[in-house]
Amino acid sequence: MLVNEENRKRIIVALDFATEKEVLRLLDRLDPDNCRVKIGKELFTSCGPTLVKKVGKRGFEIFLDLKFHDIPNTVAGAVRAAALELGVWMLNVHASGGKAMLEAAAGALAGADCRRPHIIGVTVLTSLNDRDLSQLGVQGGSREQVVRLARLCLESHLGGVVCSAGEVAALRKELPREFLLVTPGIRRPGDARGDQKRVMGPAEAVAAGADYLVVGRPITRAEDPQAALSEFVSAVSGNPPNPY
Ligand code: C5P
């Protein structure tokens, strides 16, 4: 369960850019007291740990979205590097890496003298449909597999999972309240959907049980990103946005 002061920072802004210049220009217009940010594979591959540190120095807490998936020893090393070298607030690993890998990730910082990031699992990529899963040897469909993998994450001592807005309510029923649900695919009624097929409003996602919402283009491509962020923050805090 998220404590009250966390409510202000439930929005995670996806920094889906290829250059440092674009990132820093956006961050100049956002307040680290009102959001967190997500750094994914494109930005990390182009700009590396140097930019992650720069973003951290500006006061932003970082979700490092690199979806680690490898043998347990390698994933544990990557988790340690993300925590000790980069000081990230959250990171993720692929649940399909198996129990030993998930436990290695969860236990990687045992005894370490550092702030512990939330380590969350990726269950089934939303780009995969039931036919894709069947080709991979997974029968029973994506719903069943998402719940199965989320349970595996819980048993392996991870802190939560990333899930689509459509999965939040079902997962919330299956999992303890403190298990974090991090949800992309969030749009206000007038927002362009882009390539997101199934979307949910910010207030609805939180009401369904999401803890953190990942929002990209509705904020990063807005004319006034800070105003757009404020609207999302108001929506998840249960307050209507100020119309003036
Ligand atoms: O711009 P938009 O709000 O669609 O960005 C959503 C962010 O969440 C992107 O960084 C995207 O890669 C990520 N994401 C997603 N769907 C998933 C997992 C991650 O949209 N299932």
Side-chain angles (χ1 to χ4, degrees):
M1 169 94 77
L2 283 168
V3 292
N4 265 346
E5 63 263 32
E6 276 293 284
N7 276 339
R8 248 175 339 114
K9 290 173 72 170
R10 288 177 127 186
I11 305 296
I12 303 172
V13 179
L15 301 179
D16 292 325
F17 296 109
T19 66
E20 173 171 328
K21 197 172 152 197
E22 291 168 291
V23 170
L24 298 182
R25 197 172 61 197
L26 175 71
L27 295 186
D28 281 341
R29 305 170 76 186
L30 296 179
D31 178 353
D33 284 339
N34 279 337
C35 66
R36 294 180 165 97
V37 296
K38 178 172 87 70
I39 293 180
K41 286 189 166 103
E42 182 186 8
L43 185 58
F44 189 80
T45 304
S46 357
C47 301
T50 312
L51 180 61
V52 178
K53 289 179 192 167
K54 240 182 219 180
V55 172
K57 280 205 182 106
R58 286 183 172 224
F60 289 92
E61 290 184 301
I62 297 160
F63 170 15
L64 189 66
D65 178 19
L66 297 183
K67 302 184 180 69
F68 297 139
H69 189 171
D70 212 311
I71 59 170
N73 185 57
T74 302
V75 167
V79 168
R80 275 193 293 275
L84 299 170
E85 301 297 324
L86 303 179
V88 303
W89 162 77
M90 177 179 274
L91 62 87
N92 56 5
V93 299
H94 266 290
S96 51
K99 193 155 200 272
M101 190 206 84
L102 297 174
E103 286 177 345
L109 293 163
D113 181 20
C114 70
R115 181 180 169 196
R116 260 138 244 274
H118 295 291
I119 303 176
I120 61 169
V122 176
T123 57
V124 177
L125 294 172
T126 45
S127 52
L128 299 178
N129 61 23
D130 288 358
R131 190 160 158 265
D132 299 317
L133 287 177
S134 161
Q135 284 170 348
L136 294 170
V138 176
Q139 307 303 334
S142 68
R143 277 285 160 112
E144 202 178 309
Q145 181 70 351
V146 165
V147 173
R148 182 184 293 128
L149 289 176
R151 284 216 189 95
L152 184 65
C153 289
L154 176 70
E155 286 161 21
S156 310
H157 312 294
L158 259 59
V161 288
V162 182
C163 65
S164 74
E167 294 158 358
V168 174
L171 283 178
R172 190 39 86 212
K173 276 193 212 130
E174 301 275 340
L175 298 158
R177 188 62 193 89
E178 63 274 14
F179 194 72
L180 298 176
L181 299 181
V182 179
T183 309
I186 303 298
R187 294 290 185 269
R188 294 162 299 183
D191 284 330
R193 288 180 170 218
D195 49 3
Q196 297 285 6
K197 293 202 177 79
R198 284 185 302 139
V199 299
M200 195 179 272
E204 290 75 14
V206 167
D211 294 297
Y212 295 104
L213 308 182
V214 176
V215 184
R217 290 159 290 184
I219 293 173
T220 59
R221 306 301 196 248
E223 225 168 87
D224 184 345
Q226 181 63 56
L229 171 63
S230 295
E231 278 193 33
F232 278 94
V233 172
S234 299
V236 299
S237 310
N239 300 320
N242 186 338
Y244 303 106

